Amino acid sequence: MNKYEKILELDKILEMLSDKTSNEISKDMALKLKPETDISRVREELAKTSEALSLAMRFGTPSFYNFRDMRMSLRRVKSGARLSLKDLMDIAVILRQIQVLSDWYDHCSDMDTELDYLFSQLTPVPYLLEKLERSIISEDEIADAASVALSQIRRKISRSQQHLRDTLDKMVRNQDVQKCLQDTRVTLRDGRFVLPVKAEHRTHIQGLIHDSSASGQTIFIEPISIVEANNDIRLLEVEEQEEIERIINELCEDCASWADAIINNHGVCAELNIYFAKANLAAQMKAFEPILSDDGIIDLKKARHPLIPSDRVVPISFSLGDNCNALIITGPNTGGKTVALKTCGLLTLMTMCGLLIPAAEGSRISVFKSVYANIGDTQSIEQNLSTFSAHMKEVIYILEEADDSSLVLFDELGSGTDPVEGAALAEAIISRLKDNGAKLMVTTHYQELKLYATEQHDVQNASCEFDVENMRPTYRLIIGAPGKSNAFAITETLGLSKDVINHAKTLVSQENTRFEKAVEKLENTRIQLENELEKAETARIKAEEHEKELADEMEQFQEEKAQRMEQVRLQVNNIIETTKAESNALLDELDKLRKEKEKANFADAVSAAKSGSKQRFNKMYNTANPIDDVTDEEYTLPRPLKSGDTVIIADTKQKGVIAGNVDSSGQVFVQMGVMKTKVKVSRLRLVENQSQKQQKQNDRLQRKQGRVSAKAERSGSMELDIRGRACDEGVYEMEAFLDRAVLSHISTVTIIHGKGTGLLRKAVHQRLKKLPYVKSFRLGVFGEGEDGVTIVTLK
């Protein structure tokens, strides 16, 4: 890592990335990441990180293990070397990592991602993994299940040892033997069972002497009666060790046959770990993928320095390289000028390392061939250089190296010497770097550079805002306006005497004073314009909300209008059909009368027909005019109408709400849905005590429902969706749903709770475990909703 990357603290970001990895190979890869200068390579790396983040958000981050680098051991075993049990256990960890990643990828294989080529290289070896995990218990022990022969040998050893102990126990319980023993406990010497015999009774116990105590008081004798049994056990132990050696050799051979695939998968697993570590770091930083280019344009929106705590960092926005090739940042000390420089440089380097950046979506970063930074005190005691000399030595190097594919960051350019000469040098350096095509960000306190930025079309002023009233910086970066250093105001708050400050003010040149006043006036104007812009934005938002409300009301009105028109159309069709039928009936009667005109009772029939036709016409008129005539009804309003009263229009039976006062002509506005119309008061009927009537109706309904509730509760469905509910609310709805399902004799139902944070799913499962009528439950499989649903089987 070069010194400029360290100055911009890229090493700290890479340390944060390495902390997100799980194994030493990935940690080393993270710490050795270098900014790429090839835009196609950077674009590819960003895409992989974004895909990893997308997969992690959708399916969760896959599990990564802390596996050792076993590539050298695998090459050794491939050439015939024998591995230790610890090495074999470490190989099993790698195989487990390969299997876990492969299974995880199968779970989300419906997506095409930039990481497919890595996952497709994974070669799981489930047979070898199962054999290693089954055979090895620890670094010093092989499991009985490693082979049938080993299991049988160990059972024989166990039986023989138990038989031998029983024999010795019988001897120990013998009174004649007990008086010869120093202790009644059976011990082991050189892997053989012996008795601790007192030295003076050594001749009373026949057997082989194996050892004696340090004091010589105890002799360890192997009774002659168990020598053969001990020999059998030793032979079995030899067989056991031979079988263990055979098993280890067999496991080594198996590992050797898969060595090349496992060695290749080492790198794949480590690389996948890197990309998901990048994704987790991006999630921690709330980072996004920037728009990438190589044209030198940087456009950061609400960018945050990743090393400043999120609750303290102030986002900044600025552009560089489009209409502005140099940005001159001014303002008070500790106001955030250096942080702005480092934010620009560090986010550029992070992007070139394939990392997402903590900035708003739509931010743009350019890939540079080189990034230079001269920040902080560069005084060198070893080289006997002053701050200014060391500073300028570095500037000279950058001036010689920077070109049109360089980003240059200068902190306090030209400081440490005479202000007039320093400002002139700074201006000349900026001009030369611009001529070379480099993109610059420079912090300064020089008035000359502020003026220079106003005079050059491709140089822009920026300032770090300072709250003069509260005497503290806001850390906001203001583009387009130079800033004041506010040295007098800051020193006054620190306790410097006002006399000294006033004297200092008199020493400032008149030209500088006028310039500072102009800057102050410009700053006040900017603040005023920002306030006006904020008010205008608030008014715009309110106008948009009001416009949306009106649009919603209009849409609702159109829907109600369409519904009313459909109702009217149906009524008209009905009237037409009824009228047509009545007309046909009248024509039939007329035809019948015409045929019977010669009969004696013809006059009576005509009279009856006239009467009947009149009744039919009245009926048709009533059908065609459904509005009731209520003018003759004797109804008096119980009280004058007021705004908000609920009324019914007597002739149309429509309900509405009074929206205004009664006018002089006896009419009042009535709101019906989204429609408002004027209606005569005589056509209105006041709806009073509605809540009491509703309560009585509800009581009657409850009494009726009480007789049929059992039957009604037997209706049920097979699926319940409680996504978005709180845990207690969702569990409550689920219990009611399951009660209905049990009454409806439904055996299997589906609870849709979604994936989310998993809290609702956990609450559902905890409650299901306690319900007596739940037989079993499980998560859904592919095609059923997977982890987002639970399938419940009822008793």
Side-chain angles (χ1 to χ4, degrees):
M1 181 174 292
N2 64 44
K3 61 181 179 181
Y4 304 116
E5 293 165 1
K6 287 186 177 180
I7 287 173
L8 294 171
E9 300 175 296
L10 178 63
D11 55 329
K12 294 181 181 179
I13 298 298
L14 297 185
E15 286 176 7
M16 293 172 63
L17 176 62
S18 71
D19 290 340
K20 299 291 182 184
T21 60
S22 303
N23 59 82
E24 292 303 321
I25 304 176
S26 299
K27 288 182 185 296
D28 188 55
M29 290 171 64
L31 293 173
K32 290 181 178 178
L33 271 180
K34 291 187 178 296
E36 291 283 349
T37 57
D38 181 3
I39 186 171
S40 60
R41 178 65 178 158
V42 175
R43 184 173 284 115
E44 182 182 338
E45 290 299 302
L46 284 175
K48 291 175 187 177
T49 304
S50 295
E51 291 288 3
L53 179 60
S54 176
L55 287 170
M57 292 177 65
R58 181 172 176 183
F59 302 103
T61 303
S63 299
F64 286 96
Y65 299 102
N66 184 15
F67 57 82
R68 289 175 55 212
D69 186 355
M70 297 301 297
R71 287 175 288 190
M72 185 59 69
S73 298
L74 286 164
R75 292 188 184 99
R76 284 177 41 237
V77 76
K78 186 181 176 183
S79 63
R82 184 177 183 274
L83 299 182
S84 65
L85 289 181
K86 184 178 186 310
D87 289 339
L88 291 172
M89 290 178 67
D90 289 334
I91 292 174
V93 173
I94 297 167
L95 290 171
R96 171 58 59 190
Q97 177 70 88
I98 297 168
Q99 187 69 53
V100 165
L101 289 176
S102 180
D103 293 344
W104 184 89
Y105 178 65
D106 290 340
H107 182 64
C108 56
S109 59
D110 59 323
M111 296 180 63
D112 294 328
T113 72
E114 296 290 333
L115 300 176
D116 287 350
Y117 82 99
L118 285 174
F119 281 108
S120 62
Q121 294 180 49
L122 293 173
T123 310
V125 193
Y127 156 75
L128 181 56
L129 173 61
E130 187 275 333
K131 190 173 183 179
L132 288 169
E133 291 183 336
R134 168 171 50 85
S135 301
I136 304 174
I137 294 177
S138 67
E139 299 177 9
D140 306 310
E141 186 177 2
I142 290 287
D144 294 350
S147 73
V148 176
L150 181 63
S151 178
Q152 292 175 348
I153 291 169
R154 286 180 173 175
R155 281 200 297 269
K156 289 179 182 178
I157 291 174
S158 179
R159 287 197 297 267
S160 298
Q161 289 177 342
Q162 186 60 46
H163 177 69
L164 193 147
R165 286 194 184 93
D166 292 342
T167 302
L168 289 174
D169 286 343
K170 289 180 183 179
M171 293 181 65
V172 169
R173 287 196 295 271
N174 187 291
Q175 295 295 328
D176 295 333
V177 174
Q178 275 189 4
K179 66 183 180 181
C180 299
L181 299 178
Q182 194 76 268
D183 193 351
T184 58
R185 290 178 296 179
V186 177
T187 61
L188 279 171
R189 283 293 184 274
D190 296 329
R192 303 178 73 88
F193 288 92
V194 295
L195 294 175
V197 180
K198 296 176 182 177
E200 61 268 24
H201 295 293
R202 59 187 297 180
T203 59
H204 293 82
I205 304 294
Q206 294 184 353
L208 304 175
I209 297 175
H210 283 274
D211 198 2
S212 64
S213 65
S215 63
Q217 298 296 318
T218 304
I219 306 297
F220 297 99
I221 299 176
E222 178 184 4
I224 198 68
S225 59
I226 65 168
V227 170
E228 191 64 29
N230 266 329
N231 290 338
D232 291 340
I233 291 174
R234 293 302 295 269
L235 289 174
L236 287 171
E237 288 175 346
V238 171
E239 290 182 26
E240 177 190 22
Q241 190 59 40
E242 290 176 350
E243 179 62 17
I244 288 173
E245 293 297 320
R246 187 196 68 77
I247 291 168
I248 293 175
N249 289 333
E250 182 180 320
L251 291 174
C252 289
E253 290 174 2
D254 291 339
C255 290
S257 64
W258 288 96
D260 291 336
I262 300 174
I263 288 171
N264 179 62
N265 284 177
H266 260 81
V268 174
C269 293
E271 196 170 350
L272 284 171
N273 193 191
I274 280 287
Y275 288 122
F276 280 98
K278 288 181 178 180
N280 291 335
L281 183 62
Q284 176 184 317
M285 293 180 176
K286 298 183 177 65
F288 293 93
E289 179 181 359
I291 300 169
L292 198 64
S293 68
D294 58 356
D295 54 7
I297 297 177
I298 297 175
D299 184 15
L300 292 177
K301 301 176 181 179
K302 296 182 178 179
R304 308 178 303 278
H305 195 288
L307 298 178
I308 301 177
S310 58
D311 58 338
R312 291 171 48 199
V313 66
V314 177
I316 60 174
S317 302
F318 62 89
S319 295
L320 180 67
D322 189 6
N323 298 321
C324 163
N325 292 325
L327 196 63
I328 309 296
I329 305 176
T330 53
N333 292 322
T334 71
K337 300 191 301 297
T338 305
V339 171
L341 284 187
K342 287 188 173 182
T343 300
C344 178
L346 181 55
L347 267 55
T348 299
L349 292 175
M350 286 175 62
T351 301
M352 294 165 65
C353 287
L355 295 168
L356 307 189
I357 60 173
E361 288 185 278
S363 294
R364 180 173 178 175
I365 291 288
S366 176
V367 175
F368 292 94
K369 297 295 182 185
S370 52
V371 176
Y372 300 102
N374 181 240
I375 299 173
D377 188 359
T378 53
Q379 185 173 6
S380 175
I381 297 175
E382 294 82 0
Q383 298 182 18
N384 195 26
L385 295 175
S386 67
T387 299
F388 177 74
S389 299
H391 170 69
M392 289 310 300
K393 184 177 180 180
E394 189 63 40
V395 170
I396 292 168
Y397 173 79
I398 294 174
L399 196 61
E400 293 174 349
E401 297 294 327
D403 55 18
D404 58 354
S405 61
S406 300
L407 173 64
V408 180
L409 308 171
F410 283 137
D411 189 25
E412 303 294 347
L413 179 61
S415 63
T417 187
D418 178 75
V420 175
E421 294 180 354
L425 275 173
E427 185 176 328
I429 291 167
I430 293 172
S431 297
R432 173 61 62 86
L433 287 170
K434 280 201 305 154
D435 293 341
N436 292 344
K439 306 299 181 289
L440 298 95
M441 284 184 69
V442 179
T443 68
T444 185
H445 289 283
Y446 291 145
Q447 305 285 17
E448 292 83 353
L449 291 184
K450 299 177 188 179
L451 287 171
Y452 173 74
T454 61
E455 295 168 351
Q456 300 293 319
H457 70 280
D458 59 346
V459 182
Q460 192 170 26
N461 269 309
S463 61
C464 290
E465 189 178 53
F466 187 82
D467 186 353
V468 179
E469 292 184 2
N470 298 311
M471 297 310 298
R472 62 180 178 83
T474 66
Y475 303 106
R476 290 178 59 207
L477 186 64
I478 309 300
I479 303 299
K484 294 177 61 179
S485 297
N486 291 295
F488 294 150
I490 293 173
T491 52
E492 186 175 356
T493 61
L494 295 176
L496 185 63
S497 171
K498 287 187 177 181
D499 295 338
V500 176
I501 294 173
N502 291 332
H503 179 63
K505 288 180 179 180
T506 63
L507 299 177
V508 177
S509 68
Q510 186 177 2
E511 183 179 349
N512 283 340
T513 303
R514 282 173 29 221
F515 181 79
E516 286 292 329
K517 288 182 178 180
V519 170
E520 183 177 0
K521 185 177 180 181
L522 182 62
E523 177 70 7
N524 292 335
T525 303
R526 180 192 62 79
I527 294 172
Q528 183 178 358
L529 288 175
E530 280 191 356
N531 293 334
E532 294 296 329
L533 182 61
E534 185 178 354
K535 291 179 181 178
E537 182 66 14
T538 303
R540 185 188 64 79
I541 293 172
K542 288 184 178 179
E544 287 181 355
E545 291 176 352
H546 183 61
E547 183 180 358
K548 187 176 181 301
E549 290 176 0
L550 290 176
D552 292 341
E553 288 185 6
M554 178 58 70
E555 184 178 357
Q556 185 180 355
F557 171 76
Q558 293 295 343
E559 289 178 359
E560 289 191 10
K561 178 182 176 182
Q563 292 175 358
R564 296 283 179 87
M565 291 298 292
E566 180 64 17
Q567 292 175 358
V568 170
R569 187 184 65 79
L570 293 174
Q571 290 177 358
V572 168
N573 287 338
N574 184 41
I575 291 170
I576 291 172
E577 292 299 325
T578 304
T579 305
K580 186 186 295 183
E582 294 291 343
S583 300
N584 289 335
L586 285 173
L587 291 173
D588 290 341
E589 282 196 27
L590 289 173
D591 188 56
K592 182 179 178 183
L593 286 173
R594 183 178 58 79
K595 293 177 180 179
E596 296 178 353
K597 64 181 179 178
E598 301 298 333
K599 293 184 179 181
N601 59 348
F602 177 73
D604 295 334
V606 170
S607 177
K610 286 182 178 180
S611 177
S613 63
K614 185 176 181 181
Q615 292 177 0
R616 285 191 179 94
F617 277 120
N618 287 336
K619 184 178 180 181
M620 290 191 320
Y621 177 78
N622 291 333
T623 302
N625 185 25
I627 297 179
D628 299 332
D629 188 6
V630 297
T631 55
D632 296 333
E633 293 185 13
E634 294 182 359
Y635 175 83
T636 304
L637 288 169
R639 60 176 174 78
L641 296 175
K642 61 182 181 180
S643 182
D645 283 344
T646 301
V647 295
I648 293 177
I649 301 176
D651 44 14
T652 62
K653 306 302 181 186
Q654 289 182 310
K655 184 179 288 188
V657 177
I658 299 298
N661 299 320
V662 180
D663 60 16
S664 58
S665 61
Q667 292 184 328
V668 67
F669 277 108
V670 178
Q671 184 80 41
M672 293 176 289
V674 297
M675 298 176 60
K676 185 187 289 187
T677 183
K678 262 192 174 183
V679 183
K680 286 188 176 182
V681 175
S682 59
R683 295 173 56 198
L684 300 179
R685 302 292 181 262
L686 181 64
V687 179
E688 288 189 310
N689 299 325
Q690 189 64 23
S691 59
Q692 297 177 3
K693 292 179 181 179
Q694 187 65 40
Q695 183 63 39
K696 291 179 181 179
Q697 291 177 0
N698 291 341
D699 293 341
R700 287 197 298 271
L701 284 173
Q702 289 177 1
R703 288 195 295 271
K704 289 180 180 179
Q705 289 172 355
R707 296 191 293 269
V708 296
S709 60
K711 180 178 179 180
E713 284 295 319
R714 292 185 181 276
S715 62
S717 63
M718 305 287 286
E719 189 174 274
L720 174 67
D721 189 349
I722 55 173
R723 288 175 294 183
R725 304 286 198 280
C727 289
D728 53 350
E729 181 184 2
V731 170
Y732 177 79
E733 288 189 24
M734 180 191 69
E735 288 186 29
F737 170 75
L738 292 178
D739 289 339
R740 293 194 297 272
V742 170
L743 290 173
S744 301
H745 303 291
I746 296 174
S747 60
T748 303
V749 296
T750 300
I751 309 297
I752 304 174
H753 43 64
K755 296 179 182 179
T757 61
L759 294 177
L760 182 56
R761 177 178 65 241
K762 183 178 180 182
V764 165
H765 287 186
Q766 287 178 347
R767 187 55 185 156
L768 288 173
K769 291 177 182 177
K770 299 178 181 179
L771 294 177
Y773 47 77
V774 173
K775 183 178 181 182
S776 64
F777 63 93
R778 61 176 175 82
L779 289 173
V781 297
F782 184 78
E784 291 181 330
E786 302 174 5
D787 296 345
V789 303
T790 296
I791 312 299
V792 183
T793 303
L794 302 174
K795 295 180 180 178

